[in-house]
Amino acid sequence: MADPHDAAPPLLQPGQAAPDFTLPATPDQMLSLADLRGAPVVLAFYPADWSPVCGDQMGLYNQMLPEFHRAGAQLVGISVDGVWCHAAFAEARKLHFPLLADFEPKGTVARRYGAYRAQDGVAQRALFVLDAGGIIRWSYLSPLGLNPGADGILDALDALAPTQKPQGAQA
Amino acid sequence: MTRRLPPVSATDTVAGPADAPVTLIEYGDYECPYCGEAYPVLKTVQEAMGARLRFVFRNFPLTEMHPHALRAAQFAAAAAASGVFWAAHDMLYEHQDALDVASLTAYAARLGIERRVLQAAFQGQYDALIQQDFVGGVRAGVNGTPCLFINGVRYDGPRDRESLIAVLEQAAAAALHAPA
């Protein structure tokens, strides 16, 4: 799956600590990964606001939010788009989860996760599921033009479940 | 990623014989334009395949993107409870531009769905089933609509009539020749 033309470091793998970061979530609010400690986190890196596949993927995850929350997880989208672009995209698609702007210096966080696509200057379509302690438990790199769906995320959250507080027996 | 596609069960809306050699499952959203495009094609495919095809429709409403998708799915569930699911399904896809509550109420009257059945559906009586379809689909790898599965295997090929009939014929032949 690795692109031979891309000398970027490989995607971070399960067992590695998720690098901390602080990025703008809105024009006047920052979000740090550390703020989300104590519960699983889904990081969804994606190439671009407004592109058709990203729109479908973020729309699907938006619809899946209740399921992610049922697993106690928070979802965060990250691309190199700026905060105002994110704001417009989130409003148009009625997204109920934060989109972080990895905008300046561009792609710094994506690079740190091995999820930067240097030849296009965008984030890869990469998924990470972190446990409550900030350790990567699952990561996945999807082909750029393919919406990876959410089954891998749900499986990863299920695998974390025994360590989580049960939230209703018949979920 | 076709593992754990939920098997066809009593809660499914099914057209065609249970022992048909091919089962085609569609995950669809009544307000999705691509599902609207697929609808007449699938209809002619069903006609061409006849009793060799069992067609199952499952809900995959993207309600944040499509404001009328949940109401339409609720309406379809009320229709299923009233024994007129496929007529309702067809009506929804043939009137994708009019899926507001007033229109749905009018369709219900036309199909003979009792008002109290429709009201109960609008109040959420079938929401758990609709959500069950949705989550089951996501678990099976559905990432958008329409998403088709042929005998349990996700189909991502062309969705024109001829291509679909060819692949369904092939699946039927394979099923008939497979050891029981």
Side-chain angles (χ1 to χ4, degrees), chain A residues 56-146:
Chain A
D56 289 353
Q57 187 188 2
M58 294 304 128
L60 178 69
Y61 293 176
N62 197 38
Q63 198 77 43
M64 286 302 293
L65 272 183
E67 294 302 317
F68 295 154
H69 291 166
R70 211 186 306 271
Q74 296 298 318
L75 169 68
V76 175
I78 305 177
S79 79
V80 299
D81 297 285
V83 282
W84 295 104
C85 185
H86 273 340
F89 180 58
E91 189 186 347
R93 303 301 169 100
K94 301 192 187 74
L95 302 181
H96 303 300
F97 58 91
L99 299 179
L100 305 185
D102 195 11
F103 180 70
E104 181 58 39
K106 187 173 134 188
T108 303
V109 175
R111 280 176 222 269
R112 229 178 276 160
Y113 278 78
Y116 192 67
R117 190 174 168 87
Q119 68 267 44
D120 298 315
V122 296
Q124 301 268 18
R125 200 177 296 289
L127 299 170
F128 296 88
V129 171
L130 319 182
D131 67 16
I135 304 297
I136 295 169
R137 300 294 289 269
W138 180 75
S139 63
Y140 180 76
L141 183 63
S142 179
L144 208 61
L146 202 70

Side-chain angles (χ1 to χ4, degrees), chain B residues 87-170:
Chain B
H89 169 93
D90 294 359
M91 202 169 263
L92 291 170
Y93 278 127
E94 284 161 20
H95 299 86
Q96 269 199 310
D97 55 339
L99 299 176
D100 55 293
V101 169
S103 301
L104 294 176
T105 306
Y107 305 151
R110 227 186 290 172
L111 294 174
I113 299 167
E114 281 185 52
R115 209 178 169 76
R116 61 174 178 82
V117 175
L118 185 66
Q119 287 308 320
F122 281 169
Q123 284 160 19
Q125 187 177 352
Y126 304 106
D127 285 9
L129 282 174
I130 294 166
Q131 183 67 8
Q132 184 183 308
D133 268 6
F134 182 83
V135 175
V138 171
R139 293 256 179 205
V142 176
N143 58 0
T145 53
C147 194
L148 303 177
F149 290 85
I150 296 172
N151 282 351
V153 178
R154 182 161 142 180
Y155 174 73
D156 289 312
R159 288 200 292 253
D160 61 282
R161 182 178 189 275
E162 284 64 39
S163 304
L164 280 169
I165 289 175
V167 72
L168 290 170
E169 291 282 9
Q170 212 175 342

Side-chain angles (χ1 to χ4, degrees), chain B residues 14 47 53-55 72 75 101 108 114 128 161 166 168 178:
Chain B
V14 180
E47 279 160 19
L53 179 69
R54 175 170 66 154
F55 179 54
F75 164 83
V101 169
E114 281 185 52
R161 182 178 189 275
L168 290 170

